[in-house]
C-alpha cells in the first residue's frame, strides 16, 4: 500500500484529447507546444538518449525525410531527457561524421527538446519504468492542426521506428479528414477506401443494390476508389 502511494502519478495522454501544453528549450530556441504549431500537424517523438546508434539512425532518417513531412503540412519535434549541449554536440557529430544508409552531411533542422527534468516526458507518458527509469521510450504522438492527439505509437528502446508507417499513418489520417472516409488494413494512397457504415436499414438496402463506384462486400462494408492523385492533390502542398 505504502509503495502504491509513493509511486509517482504518470499521465498518459489519450487519442482525441488536447495535446498537453508545455514550454521548452530546444536546439532551435524556446517553443510553446502545441500553441506555436496551430495550423500544422506535428509529430512529437521521444528518443532514449543522444550519442546512441538506434537514435542516430532515426534522427538521420527523420531529418532526411523532413521536407516530405513538411509537404504534408507536418512539422517534427524531437525530445530526449539529455541536456541542450549534449543535443548540440550530437547533432554536430551527425552532420560532420556520420554516413549511414546512403545519408551523409545530414543537418537536423527541427527542434530537439532538452528535458533533463523529465517534465515533458512524464506529461506524455514517455518514461515507462518497466523499460527504463532514466530514458524515454520511443514514443510518437501525431498532433493535428487544432492541437488534438490523433494517434500514438510506442516502441521499446531496442526497436528503430518504421518511417514508411509514420508517413502512411499521417497521410491516412489526413485523407480520413478530407474525404470523410476510413482506411483499411495496409492502405496506401490509391487503394480503395472505406465509406461510413450504413446507419439505417434503408441505407443498408440501398448500398447492396447500388452499382457504380461503390463496392460492397456486405451492407456494413463498402469501399470506393479515390485515386492517388486526388489524395495527393488534396493533402500535399504544391
Ligand atoms: C540506441 O539508440 O541505440 C539505444 C538507446 C537506448 C537503449 C538501447 C539502444
Amino acid at each position: 500500500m505504502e509503495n502504491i502511494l509513493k509511486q509517482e502519478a504518470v499521465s498518459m495522454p489519450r487519442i482525441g484529447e488536447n495535446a498537453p501544453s508545455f514550454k521548452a528549450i530546444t536546439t532551435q530556441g524556446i517553443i510553446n507546444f502545441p500553441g506555436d504549431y496551430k495550423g500544422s500537424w506535428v509529430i512529437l517523438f521521444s528518443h532514449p538518449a543522444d550519442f546512441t546508434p538506434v537514435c542516430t539512425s532515426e534522427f538521420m532518417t527523420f531529418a532526411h525525410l523532413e521536407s516530405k513531412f513538411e509537404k504534408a503540412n507536418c512539422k517534427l519535434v524531437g525530445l530526449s531527457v539529455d541536456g541542450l549541449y549534449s543535443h548540440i554536440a550530437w547533432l554536430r557529430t551527425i552532420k560532420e561524421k556520420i554516413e549511414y544508409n546512403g545519408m551523409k552531411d545530414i543537418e537536423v533542422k527541427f527542434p530537439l527538446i532538452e528535458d533533463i527534468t523529465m517534465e515533458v516526458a512524464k506529461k506524455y507518458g514517455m518514461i515507462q519504468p518497466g523499460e527504463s527509469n532514466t530514458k524515454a521510450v520511443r514514443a510518437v504522438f501525431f498532433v493535428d492542426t487544432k492541437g488534438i492527439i490523433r494517434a500514438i505509437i510506442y516502441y521499446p528502446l531496442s526497436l528503430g521506428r518504421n518511417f514508411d508507417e509514420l508517413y502512411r499513418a499521417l497521410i491516412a489520417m489526413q485523407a480520413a479528414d478530407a474525404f470523410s472516409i476510413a482506411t483499411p488494413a495496409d492502405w496506401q494512397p490509391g487503394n480503395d477506401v472505406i465509406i461510413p457504415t450504413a446507419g439505417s436499414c434503408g441505407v443498408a438496402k440501398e448500398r447492396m443494390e447500388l452499382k457504380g463506384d461503390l463496392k460492397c462486400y456486405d451492407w456494413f462494408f463498402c469501399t470506393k476508389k479515390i485515386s492517388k492523385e486526388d489524395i495527393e492533390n488534396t493533402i500535399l502542398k504544391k
Side-chain angles (χ1 to χ4, degrees), residues 47-58 90 131-132 135-136 138 156-159:
H47 73 99
D50 298 344
F51 292 102
T52 50
V54 179
C55 298
T56 300
S57 71
E58 289 190 319
W90 180 44
E131 184 72 347
S132 172
K135 294 177 172 66
R138 300 181 198 280
L157 302 186
S158 62
L159 176 60

